[in-house]
Amino acid sequence: MRCCALTVFYILLAILLFGVLILVHEFGHFITAKLSGVQVNEFSLFMGPAIWKKQKGETLYSLRCIPIGGYCAMEGEDGDSDNPRAFGNAKVWKRLIILVAGSAMNFLIGFLITVLVVSLSGDYLRTTQIALIEEGRPFEQVLQVGDEFYSIDGERVYVGSDITMLLDRDDSGVHDLVVIRDGEKLHLADVPLKRDYGTEEQKFYGFSIGIEEKSFGGVLSYSWNNCRDFVRMVRMGLSDLFTGKAGLKDMSGPVGIVSVVTEQSVQSETVGDGVLYVLYMFGFIAINLAVMNLLPIPALDGGRVVCLLVTAAAGKFLRRKLNPKYEAYLNGAFMILLLAFMALITFKDIFQLFT
């Protein structure tokens, strides 16, 4: 009974946090549009038919029934408008700020969530420095206690958890490292590092990472590096998709994410640990949304930024204004493809959930 109650609690918490991330993103567009003098016709949480609406001044505030996304509808956003306060009539730099503000707010909330989780998780922080090397390891003549991992196979090491994550990505067991020793960077080529130490149930690399007591500056620094790591994970995930290391089965939408986060949270020793895990994952999701929304793909903020820059360049150098309806057609077509893809991922998540 307790397990069922905790499951429902974590599911509701995850759904609430999804709503918060969407609201924060759209609020970024909303507040910068208002501050820039652009007319906002509607501010909506979620999509589809409205289940609640309220008109306040020039803006309609609404809550819609399909819990996917949301929007901040600005005057003249997808076409020409004679309204001097239309989005298309605002200065280019103002439009850029408005378009980027959603992702900026997601990154900010992701950083704040990470700071909160790091602050509440124990009294120590993991470093990137070697504290112990087990005897008989093949690398003990190469690495030394006190060495600080700087990069592994060309990828920066931001936090302690990066070390095993980056080592696990290469099955060869031979890695190129850069460590900081006595304040200087040292390049180490072809270092043998394999998970072949420990028990049959769990294998280790044969070295341990140090810890340090928390401090205010340490928490901020660790949280910032964690967010940098989150950004890198998005890039590595996209790279894995393009190279075939990952496929559709490895992707998850809101249903899959809530399912996995809930399952892991229920297994936590305490409810507090479970809540911290949910918050940590949504800190990662917030950063993920910030990066993904800035990809140069039509229908996403990044695609609209590219269109804005192309339009501005055409107006300045070609002395002609591009018809905004073509951008609207392009964004509309990609939005349909994006929604179809999200529906496919959601169906896959639901199917896996029941099978």
Side-chain angles (χ1 to χ4, degrees):
M1 185 67 179
R2 181 177 180 271
C3 183
C4 292
L6 282 177
T7 300
V8 172
F9 169 72
Y10 290 131
I11 289 175
L12 292 176
L13 178 60
I15 293 173
L16 174 64
L17 288 172
F18 259 123
V20 169
L21 296 187
I22 295 168
L23 188 62
V24 164
H25 180 91
E26 296 305 326
F27 181 75
H29 296 313
F30 173 81
I31 192 63
T32 50
K34 289 285 190 181
L35 292 174
S36 300
V38 173
Q39 179 175 316
V40 179
N41 295 330
E42 184 176 355
F43 180 74
S44 174
L45 180 62
F46 303 144
M47 309 288 277
I51 55 178
W52 175 84
K53 294 188 295 186
K54 183 174 182 180
Q55 185 77 36
K56 187 174 181 181
E58 65 186 20
T59 305
L60 175 68
Y61 299 87
S62 62
L63 176 66
R64 298 181 177 272
C65 64
I66 303 177
I68 298 176
Y71 58 88
C72 173
M74 293 171 282
E75 175 67 22
E77 185 176 4
D78 294 315
D80 280 326
S81 174
D82 295 330
N83 190 330
R85 295 181 56 219
F87 176 79
N89 294 328
K91 293 183 181 297
V92 172
W93 65 269
K94 288 186 177 182
R95 283 181 278 168
L96 278 174
I97 290 175
I98 293 170
L99 291 175
V100 172
S103 289
M105 288 295 290
N106 275 142
F107 193 94
L108 176 60
I109 196 68
F111 174 69
L112 293 177
I113 290 174
T114 305
V115 170
L116 176 63
V117 172
V118 172
S119 300
L120 298 177
S121 301
D123 298 323
Y124 298 94
L125 298 173
R126 293 180 65 189
T127 69
T128 58
Q129 194 172 54
I130 297 176
L132 174 70
I133 295 177
E134 301 292 341
E135 292 185 7
R137 308 310 301 146
F139 54 81
E140 64 179 340
Q141 301 302 321
V142 182
L143 294 174
Q144 300 178 9
V145 171
D147 284 351
E148 183 179 347
F149 284 97
Y150 181 82
S151 71
I152 298 174
D153 296 327
E155 293 284 353
R156 275 293 308 273
V157 175
Y158 295 118
V159 290
S161 58
D162 285 346
I163 298 170
T164 51
M165 183 271 289
L166 293 173
L167 292 176
D168 287 345
R169 285 181 62 84
D170 187 348
D171 296 330
S172 69
V174 179
H175 305 272
D176 292 330
L177 309 178
V178 176
V179 299
I180 298 177
R181 182 181 297 172
D182 299 326
E184 296 183 356
K185 291 181 183 178
L186 182 64
H187 294 257
L188 304 173
D190 301 326
V191 180
L193 282 164
K194 284 188 176 182
R195 277 188 183 270
D196 57 0
Y197 177 85
T199 65
E200 289 297 324
E201 293 78 16
Q202 192 169 13
K203 296 291 186 180
F204 302 95
Y205 283 98
F207 63 85
S208 300
I209 299 300
I211 58 174
E212 63 182 13
E213 288 189 23
K214 282 184 179 177
S215 63
F216 179 74
V219 168
L220 291 181
S221 176
Y222 186 89
S223 300
W224 174 252
N225 285 329
N226 225 320
C227 290
R228 295 172 70 190
D229 192 37
F230 291 160
V231 173
R232 191 250 305 280
M233 286 182 183
V234 177
R235 189 255 298 166
M236 293 173 71
L238 291 173
S239 175
D240 287 347
L241 284 175
F242 284 114
T243 58
K245 287 185 179 180
L248 184 65
K249 62 181 177 60
D250 302 302
M251 303 180 69
S252 291
V255 174
I257 292 171
V258 170
S259 175
V260 171
V261 170
T262 300
E263 181 180 352
Q264 295 297 320
S265 300
V266 170
Q267 296 175 10
S268 300
E269 292 185 4
T270 67
V271 175
D273 290 341
V275 170
L276 287 178
Y277 177 78
V278 174
L279 288 172
Y280 179 79
M281 289 304 300
F282 273 85
F284 166 70
I285 293 169
I287 303 294
N288 189 297
L289 289 174
V291 176
M292 295 295 289
N293 263 292
L294 288 180
L295 293 178
I297 299 173
L300 299 180
D301 292 335
R304 300 189 65 190
V305 167
V306 172
C307 288
L308 173 60
L309 295 176
V310 170
T311 302
K316 183 173 182 178
F317 297 108
L318 301 180
R319 302 297 181 182
R320 59 179 295 185
K321 184 178 180 181
L322 300 181
N323 195 328
K325 71 178 182 181
Y326 296 119
E327 180 184 346
Y329 293 155
L330 186 64
N331 286 329
F334 270 83
M335 179 59 73
I336 292 172
L337 291 175
L338 184 61
L339 291 174
F341 182 71
M342 291 177 65
L344 176 63
I345 295 295
T346 301
F347 176 79
K348 187 268 297 182
D349 287 343
I350 294 173
F351 180 77
Q352 288 184 340
L353 191 62
F354 285 98
T355 57

